[in-house]
Amino acid sequence: MSETTNQGMPTTYDPKTAESKWYDRWIERGYFEAGKRPDAKPYTIVIPPPNVTGVLHIGHALDFSLQDILVRAKRMQGYDALWLPGTDHAGIATQAKVEAKLREEGVTRYDLGREKFLEEVWKWKEQSAKTIRYQWSKMGLSLDYSRERFTLDEGLSNAVREVFVRLYEKGLIYRGKKIINWDPAARTALSDIEVEYKEVQGGLYHLQYPLKDGSGHLTVATTRPETMLGDTAVAVHPEDERYKHLIGKTLVLPILGREIPIVGDEYVEKEFGSGAVKITPAHDPNDFEVGLRHDLPQILVMDESGKMNANAGKYNGMDRFECRKAIVADMKELGVLLRVEEHTHQVGHSERSGAVVEPYLSTQWFVRMQPLAERAIAQQKSGEGVNFVPDRFEKTYLNWIENIRDWCISRQLWWGHRIPAWYCKDCGEPTVASHDPSACSHCGGTKLEQDNDVLDTWFSSGLWPFSTLGWPEKDAPDFKKYYPTDVLVTGYDIIFFWVARMIFTALEFTDRNPFKDVLIHGLVRDAEGRKMSKSLGNGVDPLEVIDQYGADAMRYMLSTGITPGQDLRFRFERVEQARNFANKIWNASRFALMNLEGFEAKELDEATIAKLSTADRWILHRLNEAAANVTRLLDAYEFGETGRALYDFIWDDLCDWYIEFAKLSLYGGDAESKARTQTVLAYVLDRTLRLLHPFMPYITEEIWSHLPRGAEAGETITLAAWPEPDAKWEAPSQVAEMELLMAMIRSIRNVRAEVNVPPSKKIEMIVKPATEETQRILEANRHYVERFCNTSSLTIAIEAQAPEKAMSAIVTGAEMFLPLAGLIDIEQEVARLEKELKTLHAEVERVEKKLANPGFVAKAPASVIEEEKAKMNDYADKREKVLARIAELKG
C-alpha cells in the first residue's frame, strides 16, 4: 500500500483546500523537475514567455492549460518531460508601464537617468514575475521552476550578443536610414506587432501644385496634409498620356515655395485618383523607395515627439495635428485646396502608448531577412519543416515569410538588450563584439561609446527555444538532451511575429527546426464573441474563476471547449457544467471508497477475469477503449474530442451504469463476487483518474490519495503510469450483452415515463427473445433485469405471447410486454405505437434510398454498405413487430 489509504472522503469537494495542499507538495518533492529519468525519451515544451507587464489573462490560462495537459500526459507515459517556464522583458510595454507609474509620482525617466530608471524597472519585473509565478501555481501548472529563465538573464543575454555578432559578421545585420514605424509618445521605433490599425474617419485633401512655368497645375490627394511640407517631387506613371509631357518639369510647392520635379515612376497607378502622387521620402515607406530611385532629397519635417521642426517653416514647433489644421486653412486661403472628401481609412496606432504611429525616416539597425527567410521557406516546402496544427496555418506562415521585409531591430528605449555596438570617437566607425571591447577594431582608438539603443523584444524571444536550454555554451547538457522541442502552443495572432522568427533563427544557428509541431489555438472571447478589452470591461480574471469554481473546472472548460485554430467563447455556465462534472466524479468516488473499506488492491489475474460478471467485463472493455481514444486524440491535439471521450466514459459508462450494476454484488452478492467487483471498481477508478489527471490535476490527486492501490502505483498520480490499451480487456460478447440489457432497461424506463408508472412500483414483465442465444444471455443476467426494471415477476421465453392488455417495447433481439391492465389507456398505447411505426417507416425509407443511390454504393466501402443493410433489416423487423402489436391491441 502507498503512504495514503482509503480514508473517508469529505461529503463535498473543496477545491481551495486541495489546490493549496497538493501544489505545494508537488513542488517540494520535485515531481516536475526534468532529468530524473536519464534513460527515458525526452519531451520538451518551452513556455511562450508572458510579458512582465502585469498579470496573466484568461487567454494565458487557455494556452498554459493546453501545454500542461500535454506535459502531464507525457510524464505519465514515461517520458523525461521538461516544461520550461520563463518570462519576457517586453521592452517597450514594460518601460511604458514603469514610466506611467513614475509620472503618477511626478518623475520622468530622464529625471532619474538610465541607471536609476533601470533599477526601477528591475523592481517592477521582480514583482510582476512573482505575480505570474503565483498565477501559474493557482492554475496547477507542472513547470520545472529549477530551469526558469528570463529574456534578460545572463545566459540569454550572452546568446543575444552571440547571434547579433554572427549575423553582423555575415552581413545580415546592418545600420542604415529607412522609414520605420515611429511612436512619437514613447519616442521609439516599433515592431509591426506593436502597431494596431484602427478605422478612423478623416479627410482626403485634394491639393493643387502649380507648374513653375505658369502653364497649369497638378492635383494630388493626401490624408496627411502636414507631410506636404516634406514633399520633394510629384510622381506620375511614365506611360500616362495625360502627364508624359510633364515629366522633368518643375512644380512649386505651395506655402514653402520649394521647387520640386515631376518624375515618372511605375509605382503610380494611372487609374487611381488623379494619377499624380505627392512624394515625401522621409515620411512614407513607398515614397522613400521612389525617392531612392530618383535620387530625391529626404526632408524630415517633424521631430521625434511628433512636433514640426525647422524644415516646416512657419509651422515649426506645432504639434503635427495642429499643423494639419493650420495648413488646411492656409491652403484654402491660397486657393489651392480643391476639395476635402470624407474618408474612412485604417490608421496605425501604437499598441503601447495609443499614439498615432508616424512613418518616419530614421537611422536604425536592421536584419537582412531574405537569406534567412529563403532557408526557412525551402525547409517548409521540402516537407522537412514544422508541422502546423491545423495545417491551414502553414499557408499563413509561408505567405508572410515569402513577402518579408528587412526587420528593424533597434529601439530607442533603456529597458532591453543594449545593442552590442561601440562607436569610436576618433574614427566614428562601429565595433560590434560579443564582449565589451577595449579598443576600436578599425583604428585601435580607446575612446568608445556604446550604442544607446536596445534590441526589439522579438530579437531575444526569437531565440527562446534554444537560448533557454544553454545555447551557445558548448556541450550544454539541456540543449543536447531537450532540443529541438516537441511542440509550441500559441495563438494565431503571433504566427508572423514570433513563430516565424523562431524558425528562421533556429535554422540559422542550430541547423534544426526549433520544434516539431506548432499547435495554433484561437483567442478567448466573451460570451457574445467580442474580443476582451479594458475599454469594453469584458475581461475575465482567471484567478477569480479559480476562486469561484476551482482550477480544475476552469482548465477543463477552457481546454475541452475549443476546436483547433478557432476562437473560444467564455461562458460562466460552461465553467459551472465543468464543476458539476467534478462533483459527479467526487460523489462516484466517495461511493466507491465507502465500498472499498478494508480492501487491499490486487491485480486482476486470468483466473479472476474468467469469473467476472458481464458488467465487470463490459466496464473494463469500455475503459480500454477510453484509454486508446484519449491517447490517440491527445496525440492529435484534439482536446475537445478528448474531453468528450472522458466525459462520456465517466458520466455515462462508469457513473450512470457500472456503479449501479456493481451495487448488486457489493450489497447483495456473496463474498467472492463482492471481492471481484471491488477489485474491478478500484482498478477502473484508478485508471480513470489517471486518464483525467492532465485535465483536472487537483481533484484526481485528492481522490487517488484515498484510493487503495498497489505499491507499484507510487506516491503521486502525477508520476503514475499512463493506462495503456491491453487486448486482455477486450470483451465484445459481454459488450453486446450489456448493450442488450441497457437497451431493455432504457426502453422499460421510457415506457414507465410515458404512462406515469413510477420507478418504485414493481411491474410484471414478459420478455420474448428472438433466439435461444438471446434467451440464454437474458437468463444469465436475469438479476440485472429484475433489479433495474423493478419487476414483481419476470418471464423470459421464446414462446411467450403478448398479453391482451399490455404496454410493449422492442429492442434488437427481444420484445417486452408489461401487463398493465387498469394502468393504461388502450387507445393511448395504440397511438404511441403508431407514432413509433411512423418513425420506423421513415428510417426504413431513408436507408432504402441510401442503398438505392448509385453514387453511395459505388463509393462506400463494402463494410459500410453491409452495415446499412443490417440497419434496414433491423428497422424492418421492428416495424413488423409494431404492426403486429397494433393489430393485436385493436383486435
Side-chain angles (χ1 to χ4, degrees), residues 63 65 132 227 261 294 314 341 369 380 423 463 553-554 567 573 582 600 642 778 791 817 824 882:
D63 191 70
S65 294
I132 288 168
T227 63
H294 298 277
K314 68 176 185 177
E341 295 173 2
M369 290 305 307
Q380 201 65 32
Y423 302 102
L463 319 181
M554 181 190 74
D567 290 344
E573 55 266 33
E600 290 285 336
T642 309
L778 293 176
T791 62
F817 308 105
I824 66 161
V882 169

Side-chain angles (χ1 to χ4, degrees), residues 191-381:
S191 66
D192 290 340
I193 197 173
E194 291 160 336
V195 179
E196 286 184 316
Y197 285 89
K198 300 177 184 176
E199 199 169 83
V200 171
Q201 183 69 41
L204 184 62
Y205 302 85
H206 294 263
L207 312 175
Q208 290 183 332
Y209 288 10
L211 284 152
K212 182 184 176 184
D213 61 11
S215 62
H217 62 264
L218 282 183
T219 300
V220 298
T222 181
T223 57
R224 299 189 298 154
E226 66 278 10
T227 63
M228 60 88 65
L229 302 170
D231 286 358
T232 55
V234 168
V236 297
H237 195 281
E239 301 302 320
D240 192 330
E241 294 297 334
R242 295 170 294 174
Y243 304 125
K244 278 170 76 172
H245 65 289
L246 296 177
I247 294 172
K249 288 201 170 188
T250 302
L251 294 165
V252 178
L253 189 65
I255 298 176
L256 292 184
R258 184 164 63 239
E259 294 182 2
I260 59 175
I262 300 171
V263 299
D265 197 285
E266 290 182 353
Y267 156 70
V268 181
E269 295 178 38
K270 289 187 283 186
E271 296 75 21
F272 186 77
S274 68
V277 178
K278 63 188 283 300
I279 302 298
T280 321
H283 290 277
D284 182 279
N286 294 314
D287 293 3
F288 175 77
E289 297 298 333
V290 173
L292 290 180
R293 287 195 288 275
H294 298 277
D295 198 24
L296 299 174
Q298 300 162 342
I299 302 175
L300 271 173
V301 294
M302 294 177 206
D303 64 19
E304 293 179 349
S305 67
K307 289 185 176 176
M308 308 310 288
N309 63 19
N311 291 329
K314 68 176 185 177
Y315 307 103
N316 184 15
M318 273 190 181
D319 172 79
R320 54 188 166 151
F321 298 117
E322 289 174 13
C323 176
R324 179 178 298 178
K325 292 175 186 173
I327 279 187
V328 169
D330 289 348
M331 299 281 268
K332 190 174 183 179
E333 192 175 327
L334 286 170
V336 293
L337 177 64
L338 189 63
R339 66 183 184 279
V340 181
E341 295 173 2
E342 281 193 6
H343 183 62
T344 303
H345 60 135
Q346 297 286 322
V347 175
H349 290 70
S350 169
E351 187 184 57
R352 308 306 178 187
S353 69
V356 172
V357 169
E358 191 65 41
Y360 194 76
L361 182 64
S362 179
T363 300
Q364 303 286 344
W365 288 89
F366 296 88
V367 174
R368 207 179 303 280
M369 290 305 307
Q370 193 174 354
L372 297 168
E374 281 173 354
R375 182 172 179 185
I377 293 163
Q379 183 91 347
Q380 201 65 32
K381 290 188 173 179

